[in-house]
Amino acid sequence: DAKTTQPPSMDCAEGRAANLPCNHSTISGNEYVYWYRQIHSQGPQYIIHGLKNNETNEMASLIITEDRKSSTLILPHATLRDTAVYYCIVRVGPGKLIFGQGTELSVKP
Amino acid sequence: KAGVTQTPRYLIKTRGQQVTLSCSPISGHRSVSWYQQTPGQGLQFLFEYFSETQRNKGNFPGRFSGRQFSNSRSEMNVSTLELGDSALYLCASSYGLAGGGGTDTQYFGPGTRLTVL
């Protein structure tokens, strides 16, 4: 079973920040939080990951709460091309990702 | 670096047949994982191979099998196809770091769309 909970869908206006929440209340101390996104019928695309510190790369920022029970993925300036299903995953070991249902993000003009 | 490649991209088979799908990982990656994606069950982990050995396995029947070659390329096979095997089959590769691999990021291929008639 997935160890994460995400809202099934969200809307965001183009050019605004998209904030996607994820709950992972049973996360263990050495488990990483990973984010992927999947545009219709393509392979999932890696976005970012983190353990306990906030992380930023060219695609997004990841904010992890101090107790590590939840996190937020931030797309700072959403575009129409960011419309996708976003998956928050707790990595439990090498080679195996357990996907939940994800959040379907719709970016609207 | 070239990304993960999967062949074929599309495949149509009939019930009872078998099928073999191929995955070429990113150069230097030694771990290949396979996933099945269906509208009803979402993305589900099938198995993972590292250095030609199956290291992890999901909850799928024995009709689903795989192997990995010395160059890290991997194949998965589905025998006695059923209608419910129609799905997008994805493979992902990573370095396969030991010790839990918390930072061992997986990169996905485009998938093979299998339709069973």
Side-chain angles (χ1 to χ4, degrees):
Chain A
D1 290 340
K3 297 183 69 171
T4 61
T5 305
Q6 299 176 252
S9 64
M10 292 182 63
D11 290 340
C12 178
E14 188 178 21
R16 305 296 294 268
N19 296 277
L20 291 90
C22 178
N23 287 322
H24 31 79
S25 58
T26 61
I27 193 169
S28 298
N30 62 346
E31 292 176 334
Y32 283 73
V33 178
Y34 277 75
W35 284 83
Y36 285 79
R37 71 181 182 183
Q38 186 176 27
I39 297 169
H40 183 63
S41 293
Q42 298 181 20
Q45 178 189 22
Y46 165 75
I47 301 173
I48 198 167
H49 73 276
L51 182 61
K52 54 185 177 181
N53 297 319
N54 298 339
E55 303 288 345
T56 296
N57 63 20
E58 64 279 4
M59 289 183 67
S61 295
L62 174 60
I63 309 298
I64 302 174
T65 58
E66 194 169 342
D67 63 8
R68 301 209 328 120
K69 292 185 177 182
S70 66
S71 61
T72 301
L73 178 75
I74 301 172
L75 307 178
H77 305 287
T79 71
L80 299 179
R81 289 179 297 177
D82 292 322
T83 292
V85 178
Y86 287 77
Y87 295 100
C88 168
I89 300 160
V90 171
R91 179 70 179 269
V92 299
K96 181 177 181 179
L97 298 175
I98 306 298
F99 286 81
Q101 295 304 308
T103 295
E104 187 167 2
L105 175 68
S106 295
V107 181
K108 301 181 184 298
Chain B
K1 276 186 181 179
V4 178
T5 59
Q6 292 187 245
T7 55
R9 294 292 312 278
Y10 301 91
L11 207 47
I12 299 175
K13 293 286 187 178
T14 56
R15 279 180 298 174
Q17 288 186 311
Q18 74 167 11
V19 65
T20 299
L21 312 181
S22 180
C23 174
S24 293
I26 291 171
S27 177
H29 285 186
R30 296 169 64 192
S31 168
V32 173
S33 299
W34 288 90
Y35 297 81
Q36 180 197 64
Q37 185 172 28
T38 60
Q41 299 298 318
L43 265 156
Q44 293 185 288
F45 171 77
L46 279 157
F47 33 66
E48 182 235 2
Y49 284 85
F50 177 77
S51 291
E52 302 179 63
T53 301
Q54 188 180 87
R55 185 166 62 173
N56 241 321
K57 189 177 188 304
N59 189 25
F60 277 81
R63 298 186 299 106
F64 293 82
S65 62
R67 60 177 176 169
Q68 186 179 36
F69 302 95
S70 58
N71 61 358
S72 295
R73 190 177 69 85
S74 176
E75 290 180 345
M76 70 162 281
N77 184 275
V78 187
S79 63
T80 319
L81 284 166
E82 301 176 0
L83 296 179
D85 297 333
S86 294
L88 180 66
Y89 290 89
L90 294 154
C91 83
S93 76
S94 70
Y95 287 109
L97 300 175
T103 59
D104 189 37
T105 302
Q106 288 189 13
Y107 295 92
F108 284 80
T112 294
R113 171 74 62 184
L114 172 65
T115 301
V116 182
L117 302 175

